[in-house]
Amino acid sequence: MSRRPAGIAAIKNKNLAQAKYKDKGTELAETQFAQMGKQMEMFKSNLEDFAAKHRDDIRKDPEFRLQFQEMCASIGVDPLASSKGFWAEMLGVGDFYYELGIQIVEVCMATSKRNGGLIGIEDLRRKVEASRGRNSQPISMDDLLRSIKKLKILGNGFTVHKVGGSYLVQSVPGELTLDHTVVLQQAQENGHVTQSSLIQMLGWEEERAKRSLDFMVKEGLAWVDDQSGIELSYWFPSLIPDFSNSSS
């Protein structure tokens, strides 16, 4: 005997059961979201209590400040997102990073004629700390990176390039390609390169090496030294700590 097709009543019952499962799933999801929302509010409340209790440590200790920033990021809170509101009033972090940003701009402008607008982040930190005076709160590399990130609203003039295990801060408009970054990596150890060294170490053709070096000289990022009488050396002031002090 052939099996009879399901009747209308059976189809309706099946659709009703599927609708009930769907409604139950939606109800469970809404309950979970509500619980997560309550947990997030509790986390934020605890974070505000923590910030109020450790306000001085957050403002004065760079390492403690970094840990606090990471704790905020873990629950989606950005203390630097606004200069108003709880975080700005409680911690004054908005004022701190705003002030630091101005000092970064001043140091970059003062040294741009010598280094072409490209400065090592450790060199930048030393110069900013010197400009702040002995009684100012210490700053860390993380503080600098966060302030520079906020400076991007000024346009494309402030960019951070990772070179090896450190960073270079570019404070003037200009596009550094991957080739330019590789040249900087090659120059990082001694502060200079030659065209032949790039060809030998990177396997580049002569035209590629020459084009990259010519661009960096044109942009003021590299200086040419012809004193050896053998081959031109290309020096990068941004890779020589305190170069601007020794040459001033």
Side-chain angles (χ1 to χ4, degrees), residues 12-28:
K12 287 184 176 179
N13 288 337
K14 181 179 179 180
N15 290 341
L16 182 61
Q18 289 177 340
K20 287 182 178 179
Y21 282 128
K22 184 177 181 181
D23 290 343
K24 188 63 176 177
T26 302
E27 180 182 342
L28 289 172

Side-chain angles (χ1 to χ4, degrees), residues 12-79:
K12 287 184 176 179
N13 288 337
K14 181 179 179 180
N15 290 341
L16 182 61
Q18 289 177 340
K20 287 182 178 179
Y21 282 128
K22 184 177 181 181
D23 290 343
K24 188 63 176 177
T26 302
E27 180 182 342
L28 289 172
E30 290 176 348
T31 301
Q32 289 176 340
F33 278 124
Q35 291 176 345
M36 289 174 60
K38 290 180 180 179
Q39 289 178 344
M40 292 299 292
E41 286 301 319
M42 181 182 68
F43 286 149
K44 290 182 179 180
S45 177
N46 290 339
L47 187 63
E48 291 178 358
D49 292 341
F50 177 87
K53 181 178 179 181
H54 299 282
R55 176 185 178 186
D56 290 341
D57 291 326
I58 293 170
R59 288 175 58 89
K60 296 178 181 179
D61 186 341
E63 186 63 29
F64 198 93
R65 188 161 53 246
L66 172 59
Q67 293 175 357
F68 175 73
Q69 295 277 9
E70 291 175 343
M71 190 162 47
C72 288
S74 68
I75 61 169
V77 175
D78 183 4

